[in-house]
Amino acid sequence: MDSIEQEKEHRDRHQRLRRGLAWAAAGVVVLLLLALIPPLINVGRYQRRVLSSMSESLGRPVHLDRVVLHLLPMPSFTLENLVVSDAPEFGSEPIIRANSVEALLRVSSLWKRRVEFSRIRFVEPSVNLERNAQGRWNLEEVLVHASRVESAPTGQPKAGPVTRFPYIEATGGRINLKLGQEKMPFALTEADFALWLPTSQEWRVRIEGKPARTDTNIGDPGVVRLEGSLRRAAHMGEVPLDLRASWHDAPLGEASRLVTGEDWGWRGTFHVDAAIKGLLSGAELRINVTADELRRADFVPVQSLDVAANCSARADVTAAALGDVSCTVPTSGPDPVHFTAVSAGMQRPFARGARVAVQGLPVDWVAGWVRLFSPRVPSNPLIPGALDVELENSEEGSWSGTVEAALPLPAAHDAHAVAAASRDVPLNQKFTATVRAGGVQLAPTPVRLGSGGELTVSGQASRAGYSFTAVGEASAAQLAAIARAVPQVADSNGVMQLKGAAGNAVRPVAVTCSRAWSGGQMCGSPAPLRRLNGASGAKRRRR
């Protein structure tokens, strides 16, 4: 009995082995056929179908050198030297060029006798984004044409009467920008791109890359990301969009070189987050900008600044213009700095109506910016006072307006001042500066110092430097107090002190000081002051 069961088991094992060998042989034959058949297949007709399908989808002529069919590991095509031509009005450069494109075939679509791809991958493509002199973008007709071509969602599992939109991606790409006849130096490099159709009426897009400038070397430009959706529309300006973009981890020196072509001398880390929603011809734009550990490159302050700005605008993407620009910069005081502009754009960043306004701006917050340039501004105690600023930008690009400063200075010429001083409540001394093209002019302002001291202060500042004049009467103690309060423009080491005079004795004062931003301060004392100082000739000291 045992021998019969053993013999049966042996026969079953032998049959299973033969079936396994048969399946293995069949698999080898299939693999050989899959490897050997593609060169024997005439892919010319597939090439024509691929070209026709892509041209119909893009609305642009498509050219390629060669199509290679692969059956392993999945049926696919490799398109070599793909070129998508641009419209004649945008010149002879192609809108897209790629040396290699990999197209994964949907096998189920072959049963309906059409070529349908599940995924198309561009390897290191080059894309030219152009806006002509008439204000039209070369992508406008592509987007409008694509919106008119009915497509099924990318993730639809089964083939239907409408072709499914493929998942389109690109790796290591480059996006160039051209305005009119001028090819801009800006580009997005090492760009990864993805586009798909989650529903029949909506495209989803995702882009990530590094910004670059072709006319200079940028070491670390940070990373730019964009993600969101666009929907179908009959006209370019009517396309609804909902996009979010960011530019993170950009060193400020590299960011300024990227935007303007030169290093502005600032250091820190730059971050931008933006969101735009609405129609392409009129969308709501919101931007948040932060700069961490802000400082000057040529000076390491005791404490750097963290700065933020929140902006909003109405954006016309088709016209590359902004309207109703409004920005808010938080300060250490109760009110932020407000910036507004009627319009802005690529060609003229602030074409007209730009305005800066703030009430009660803390002087200590402004001093924090000054501390980034000089160690002479003390960090403690806090510097009291406030500024009111009203500035406007003209059509020519120059700024004008007024800056009013209210600084607490002691005064003792009337009973109210004496009473206030006795309660340790400082009185505000007001200064008014006029901003015009080329500089700032401080109006002559009487400053009552108390105990009979009074100085008339005037001055001016420009991009080159500043100068100020103080004329009147003051004691050595009062001048020393001014030097301690405003160390950036006064000299506590003697230039504005009355040597040989008693600390509280009031004496005539007349001094003019000037300073180039890149150099030290020079102060000149007229003859009356030189006699009080016991000097025999003109005396200048450099800070």
Side-chain angles (χ1 to χ4, degrees):
M1 200 66 181
D2 292 340
S3 61
I4 295 175
E5 291 180 355
Q6 289 178 357
E7 183 178 353
K8 183 179 179 181
E9 182 179 352
H10 178 73
R11 281 198 309 270
D12 292 342
R13 187 165 54 247
H14 186 66
Q15 289 177 352
R16 287 196 299 269
L17 179 60
R18 284 191 301 175
R19 284 196 299 268
L21 290 174
W23 279 109
V28 170
V29 172
V30 171
L31 290 175
L32 288 174
L33 290 175
L34 291 175
L36 296 175
I37 285 177
L40 303 178
I41 296 177
N42 180 11
V43 297
R45 61 193 183 104
Y46 290 106
Q47 179 170 329
R48 289 189 294 271
R49 287 186 182 182
V50 170
L51 287 174
S52 176
S53 176
M54 297 188 73
S55 295
E56 289 177 2
S57 299
L58 297 173
R60 287 286 186 271
V62 178
H63 311 276
L64 53 86
D65 288 350
R66 183 169 174 243
V67 174
V68 179
L69 173 65
H70 307 280
L71 296 179
L72 293 175
M74 291 290 291
S76 62
F77 293 100
T78 296
L79 317 179
E80 298 180 356
N81 295 327
L82 176 74
V83 175
V84 180
S85 299
D86 211 340
E89 61 189 283
F90 293 99
S92 59
E93 286 191 273
I95 189 171
I96 301 175
R97 181 189 296 275
N99 293 333
S100 177
V101 179
E102 301 169 0
L104 189 64
L105 189 66
R106 292 186 190 266
V107 179
S108 59
S109 67
L110 297 179
W111 303 112
K112 294 185 175 293
R113 295 186 177 182
R114 66 185 180 211
V115 176
E116 190 174 330
F117 299 105
S118 61
R119 182 182 296 263
I120 298 176
R121 178 173 176 264
F122 292 79
V123 180
E124 298 182 355
S126 176
V127 179
N128 291 316
L129 184 60
E130 183 176 348
R131 184 171 184 261
N132 63 16
Q134 290 72 40
R136 296 180 60 250
W137 293 92
N138 60 348
L139 283 181
E140 286 188 27
E141 291 186 8
V142 175
L143 287 176
V144 173
H145 179 82
S147 68
R148 295 170 180 167
V149 177
E150 190 176 0
S151 300
T154 302
Q156 182 174 295
K158 295 182 179 180
V162 180
T163 302
R164 287 166 288 184
F165 191 85
Y167 184 90
I168 300 176
E169 62 179 342
T171 58
R174 180 185 181 91
I175 301 176
N176 306 298
L177 178 63
K178 186 177 180 182
L179 299 180
Q181 298 299 317
E182 181 183 3
K183 194 161 189 176
M184 305 299 289
F186 306 107
L188 191 67
T189 62
E190 301 179 35
D192 294 338
F193 171 85
L195 176 69
W196 67 100
L197 205 66
T199 68
S200 59
Q201 299 297 319
E202 178 186 6
W203 288 286
R204 293 284 298 179
V205 62
R206 183 172 59 243
I207 303 174
E208 179 176 320
K210 292 185 176 182
R213 190 179 176 103
T214 57
D215 56 359
T216 185
N217 292 324
I218 307 295
D220 183 6
V223 178
V224 170
R225 296 182 177 89
L226 183 144
E227 184 172 0
S229 64
L230 298 94
R231 301 185 69 86
R232 295 177 181 270
H235 302 284
M236 179 71 172
E238 299 173 358
V239 172
L241 74 162
D242 185 359
L243 300 174
R244 293 164 301 282
S246 65
W247 181 15
H248 278 198
D249 303 325
L252 265 175
E254 300 292 77
S256 62
R257 290 177 63 195
L258 178 70
V259 176
T260 67
E262 60 183 69
D263 189 340
W264 284 10
W266 290 96
R267 296 297 178 264
T269 306
F270 184 66
H271 309 279
V272 180
D273 291 287
I276 183 170
K277 187 175 183 178
L279 303 181
L280 276 175
S281 59
E284 180 184 0
L285 174 65
R286 295 190 178 277
I287 302 177
N288 297 322
V289 180
T290 60
D292 300 332
E293 299 182 351
L294 182 67
R295 66 174 180 86
R296 290 294 298 170
D298 50 3
F299 174 68
V300 180
V302 176
Q303 184 177 2
S304 57
L305 286 180
D306 292 337
V307 182
N310 303 316
C311 300
S312 63
R314 177 178 47 80
D316 186 343
V317 180
T318 58
L322 301 178
D324 300 331
V325 182
S326 176
C327 292
T328 301
V329 180
T331 69
S332 57
D335 296 324
V337 177
H338 292 291
F339 169 88
T340 60
V342 175
S343 66
M346 277 189 178
Q347 305 292 348
R348 303 176 67 185
F350 301 108
R352 62 185 178 90
R355 184 173 179 269
V356 176
V358 62
Q359 301 291 321
L361 180 65
V363 172
D364 190 69
W365 186 79
V366 178
W369 285 88
V370 181
R371 293 186 189 104
L372 301 182
F373 297 86
S374 172
R376 300 192 60 194
V377 181
S379 56
N380 287 304
L382 296 178
I383 301 176
L387 302 175
D388 294 340
V389 181
E390 293 277 351
L391 299 176
E392 291 187 357
N393 185 267
S394 68
E395 289 282 352
E396 293 74 26
S398 60
W399 289 88
S400 62
T402 59
V403 177
E404 292 186 355
L407 305 176
L409 296 176
H413 280 298
D414 52 56
H416 176 72
V418 172
S422 66
R423 297 193 304 269
D424 295 328
V425 178
L427 297 178
N428 285 340
Q429 171 67 51
K430 289 191 175 182
F431 298 86
T432 301
T434 303
V435 180
R436 292 289 183 266
V440 181
Q441 190 79 32
L442 175 64
T445 305
V447 180
R448 294 169 16 176
L449 304 176
S451 302
E454 182 173 306
L455 293 176
T456 297
V457 180
S458 61
Q460 59 184 1
S462 67
R463 292 184 178 182
Y466 68 81
S467 66
F468 70 91
T469 299
V471 178
E473 293 182 335
S475 67
Q478 290 167 344
L479 291 178
I482 293 176
R484 289 192 298 271
V486 195
Q488 186 65 20
V489 296
D491 194 342
S492 60
N493 296 322
V495 170
M496 290 186 64
Q497 291 183 3
L498 297 175
K499 292 186 177 179
N504 295 320
V506 175
R507 295 289 188 271
V509 175
V511 62
T512 298
C513 298
S514 62
R515 176 182 183 180
W517 297 118
S518 59
Q521 181 169 283
M522 301 287 291
C523 289
S525 301
L529 185 58
R530 290 202 303 271
R531 288 196 295 272
L532 284 172
N533 284 339
S536 58
K539 186 175 185 180
R540 292 180 179 269
R541 298 187 181 181
R542 180 182 295 271
R543 291 178 54 190

